Amino acid sequence: MELATTFESTSRARGDRKPFRAYVERNAHMEPPSSLAEAVERRRTFAIISHPDAGKTTLTEKLLLYGGAISTAGQVSARRRARSATSDWMELEKERGISITSTVLQFPYKGHTINLLDTPGHQDFGEDTYRTLLAADSAVMLIDAAKGVEPQTKKLFAICRSRRIPLFTFINKMDRPSRDPLELLDELEKVLGIATYPINWPIGSGPSFRGVYDRQSRDVNLFERVTHGAKRAPVRVTDIDDPKFAELTDEGTYREFRDGLELLEGAGAAFDRDAFMSGDATPVFFGSAVTNFGVELFLDGFLEMAPPPRARLAHRGGRAESEAVDPSSDQFSGFVFKIQANMDPRHRDRVAFLRVCSGKFERDMTVRNTRTGKDVRVTRAMKLFANEREVVDEAFAGDVVGLANPGSFAIGDTLCTGESVAYDRIPSFAPEHFATVRNIDTGAYKSFGKAIAQLAEEGAIQVFYPAGQMRTEPIFAAVGELQFEVAKYRMMAEYGVKTEFYRLPFSLARRVRGDAEAIANATWPSNAKLVEDGASTPVALFESEWSMRLAGEWNASLQFDSFDDTGRPAEPARV
């Protein structure tokens, strides 16, 4: 489990309940854009991916520290400290010290608006991470310098590669004993099949780590440690040939640094921006998020190299062929990639996370939901900063806006003005874990039903019911087992419902297609079960591939379709 490095703003430490508002007011002086195109050009929207315990939450918080969104940082060493990561807002996240749900963190930096999409690192929440990556224009892959490429890193990288997302790499924890930097680069290229280009080069590792050398400016950036990494690290800049630089390190560290650098420079490889933009090459940065080494250099490099929002493919006017939608178009469009209930326990509301893809979003505007064909007036729009929120009057392509959702929106919905636009649907992943859920308190029947409906709406779990029976005991289906723990916790904490979960032996789910009578009269193996989802669509659960093949042999007229975890065609748009 990943112990989150956690932060609190100065205002929060004083007991101020509105640190985000104060931060927004401090940064209100940023010059407004002169045109829609300029507003779009200023946006940078990215997600961070990593294997658990690589330091993702730490890096997220340190980017906020250097971006000015928070002013003080302190590492959690025990539960006795009443602190939690800015990006981890759910109570269970604070208790377990892991990221469970994706959050949005927006802050201005050097004339730009940065939208940081924080994702869960645990593999059990890969579906939430996948949806969030759909909303990102680029991604940062975090690597533990001692461990290199890890299993979850490979899975998340594959998602980025499939979408050709420009990818940055930050090799973290250089302040601890680490593998040889050249060895790490070689592993990235061989295991992931992506070309690497180091933007900076580390000076030592572990206790001898002294900073990084910027290969572009040819400056040596020496860092001084600050208490627990709580403040921005002072930086001293010098030249690689400065005699004082050699005196700051031991002879072995200095020689190793120079030898590695000479090998890089001797290779003569230049940075290929086209390869970077297509996801075939990654700029590599070295540093240590927990001690602030290299974080500001990375943030500045990211700002210079990361792409602004780009055109996305969509179906317009109900046409079958997809077309590119210009982010600077006058026509507004965007898609819902996440729904979250109870971010504010005081109001028990539901928020739809909308990625703006084109045009200008304005509060109180009327948009059309392409899926339903209905017009919706968006009266409650919010700027998000973890679970903090402020009213937003306008937003541009690249921004993520929170919309109060009384049930009008679903994950994957396209909202637009003017000619109908439909972005590709967001897929459901095939669940691999199943459990019957029983409500212990019969007096909480309504709350039980509400909890199930909202969890299903969020996509946190999928809900099935035994076919042809009363819907009193639902079957929860999830990609990862930890999702059951989260669901049980939230049903109690947010809805006051006590439940028991009874694990089922199934590991496969398939949608069943065929004549209704044939489905009703189908013969099933003893280790299979026919269920239905909330829309009464039949689904078959199997313990193994063998039982699924047997069901196919016994019911030749039926077809068993896998859940599509790579994407489905968009539904025809309603004009």
mmCIF file of all heavy atoms in Angstrom, residues 45 119 124 145 181 218 257 340 423 498 533:
data_model
loop_
_atom_site.group_PDB
_atom_site.id
_atom_site.type_symbol
_atom_site.label_atom_id
_atom_site.label_comp_id
_atom_site.label_asym_id
_atom_site.label_seq_id
_atom_site.Cartn_x
_atom_site.Cartn_y
_atom_site.Cartn_z
ATOM 1 N N THR A 45 -3.396 19.875 -19.625
ATOM 2 C CA THR A 45 -4.185 18.903 -18.866
ATOM 3 C C THR A 45 -3.496 17.550 -18.916
ATOM 4 O O THR A 45 -3.288 16.995 -19.997
ATOM 5 C CB THR A 45 -5.607 18.794 -19.442
ATOM 6 O OG1 THR A 45 -6.219 20.088 -19.439
ATOM 7 C CG2 THR A 45 -6.460 17.826 -18.623
ATOM 8 N N THR A 119 -4.829 10.158 -10.313
ATOM 9 C CA THR A 119 -5.463 8.862 -10.532
ATOM 10 C C THR A 119 -5.078 7.871 -9.441
ATOM 11 O O THR A 119 -4.032 8.001 -8.820
ATOM 12 C CB THR A 119 -5.036 8.263 -11.888
ATOM 13 O OG1 THR A 119 -3.611 8.042 -11.870
ATOM 14 C CG2 THR A 119 -5.374 9.204 -13.023
ATOM 15 N N ASP A 124 -6.585 -2.320 -8.614
ATOM 16 C CA ASP A 124 -8.004 -2.596 -8.483
ATOM 17 C C ASP A 124 -8.871 -1.442 -8.964
ATOM 18 O O ASP A 124 -10.085 -1.606 -9.125
ATOM 19 C CB ASP A 124 -8.360 -2.922 -7.024
ATOM 20 C CG ASP A 124 -7.932 -4.330 -6.641
ATOM 21 O OD1 ASP A 124 -7.243 -4.977 -7.452
ATOM 22 O OD2 ASP A 124 -8.269 -4.774 -5.527
ATOM 23 N N ALA A 145 13.183 4.749 -8.795
ATOM 24 C CA ALA A 145 14.558 4.587 -9.269
ATOM 25 C C ALA A 145 15.194 3.282 -8.806
ATOM 26 O O ALA A 145 16.137 2.798 -9.434
ATOM 27 C CB ALA A 145 15.412 5.773 -8.809
ATOM 28 N N PRO A 181 21.369 4.941 -13.663
ATOM 29 C CA PRO A 181 20.458 5.676 -14.561
ATOM 30 C C PRO A 181 20.436 5.122 -15.982
ATOM 31 O O PRO A 181 19.367 5.032 -16.603
ATOM 32 C CB PRO A 181 21.005 7.104 -14.529
ATOM 33 C CG PRO A 181 21.722 7.211 -13.235
ATOM 34 C CD PRO A 181 22.299 5.857 -12.980
ATOM 35 N N ARG A 218 22.567 23.468 -19.778
ATOM 36 C CA ARG A 218 23.932 23.120 -19.362
ATOM 37 C C ARG A 218 24.269 23.697 -17.986
ATOM 38 O O ARG A 218 25.416 24.002 -17.693
ATOM 39 C CB ARG A 218 24.955 23.576 -20.410
ATOM 40 C CG ARG A 218 24.740 22.932 -21.763
ATOM 41 C CD ARG A 218 25.892 23.177 -22.713
ATOM 42 N NE ARG A 218 25.669 22.509 -23.991
ATOM 43 C CZ ARG A 218 25.892 21.217 -24.241
ATOM 44 N NH1 ARG A 218 26.361 20.458 -23.282
ATOM 45 N NH2 ARG A 218 25.659 20.696 -25.431
ATOM 46 N N PHE A 257 29.093 10.415 -12.532
ATOM 47 C CA PHE A 257 28.244 11.397 -13.195
ATOM 48 C C PHE A 257 28.840 11.811 -14.541
ATOM 49 O O PHE A 257 28.148 11.823 -15.568
ATOM 50 C CB PHE A 257 28.060 12.617 -12.281
ATOM 51 C CG PHE A 257 27.605 13.859 -12.996
ATOM 52 C CD1 PHE A 257 26.320 13.962 -13.485
ATOM 53 C CD2 PHE A 257 28.486 14.922 -13.188
ATOM 54 C CE1 PHE A 257 25.903 15.107 -14.165
ATOM 55 C CE2 PHE A 257 28.085 16.066 -13.844
ATOM 56 C CZ PHE A 257 26.796 16.157 -14.342
ATOM 57 N N GLN A 340 -19.172 11.393 -9.370
ATOM 58 C CA GLN A 340 -18.811 11.117 -7.977
ATOM 59 C C GLN A 340 -19.904 11.645 -7.063
ATOM 60 O O GLN A 340 -20.293 12.810 -7.156
ATOM 61 C CB GLN A 340 -17.485 11.787 -7.623
ATOM 62 C CG GLN A 340 -16.975 11.458 -6.234
ATOM 63 C CD GLN A 340 -16.527 10.009 -6.135
ATOM 64 O OE1 GLN A 340 -15.684 9.551 -6.890
ATOM 65 N NE2 GLN A 340 -17.093 9.280 -5.184
ATOM 66 N N TYR A 423 -18.896 12.144 -28.902
ATOM 67 C CA TYR A 423 -17.581 11.530 -28.738
ATOM 68 C C TYR A 423 -17.771 10.047 -28.452
ATOM 69 O O TYR A 423 -18.852 9.622 -28.011
ATOM 70 C CB TYR A 423 -16.799 12.213 -27.609
ATOM 71 C CG TYR A 423 -16.418 13.636 -27.939
ATOM 72 C CD1 TYR A 423 -17.157 14.713 -27.447
ATOM 73 C CD2 TYR A 423 -15.336 13.899 -28.770
ATOM 74 C CE1 TYR A 423 -16.822 16.024 -27.768
ATOM 75 C CE2 TYR A 423 -14.992 15.205 -29.098
ATOM 76 C CZ TYR A 423 -15.737 16.260 -28.599
ATOM 77 O OH TYR A 423 -15.404 17.544 -28.934
ATOM 78 N N LYS A 498 -25.761 -0.804 6.787
ATOM 79 C CA LYS A 498 -24.896 -1.920 7.164
ATOM 80 C C LYS A 498 -25.137 -3.082 6.204
ATOM 81 O O LYS A 498 -26.280 -3.469 5.973
ATOM 82 C CB LYS A 498 -25.179 -2.360 8.603
ATOM 83 C CG LYS A 498 -24.832 -1.318 9.659
ATOM 84 C CD LYS A 498 -25.120 -1.859 11.051
ATOM 85 C CE LYS A 498 -24.754 -0.835 12.116
ATOM 86 N NZ LYS A 498 -25.044 -1.356 13.484
ATOM 87 N N ASP A 533 -28.595 -7.008 -15.764
ATOM 88 C CA ASP A 533 -28.182 -5.727 -15.216
ATOM 89 C C ASP A 533 -29.406 -4.859 -14.933
ATOM 90 O O ASP A 533 -30.543 -5.326 -15.044
ATOM 91 C CB ASP A 533 -27.190 -5.030 -16.156
ATOM 92 C CG ASP A 533 -27.790 -4.700 -17.521
ATOM 93 O OD1 ASP A 533 -29.036 -4.720 -17.668
ATOM 94 O OD2 ASP A 533 -27.009 -4.406 -18.454
#
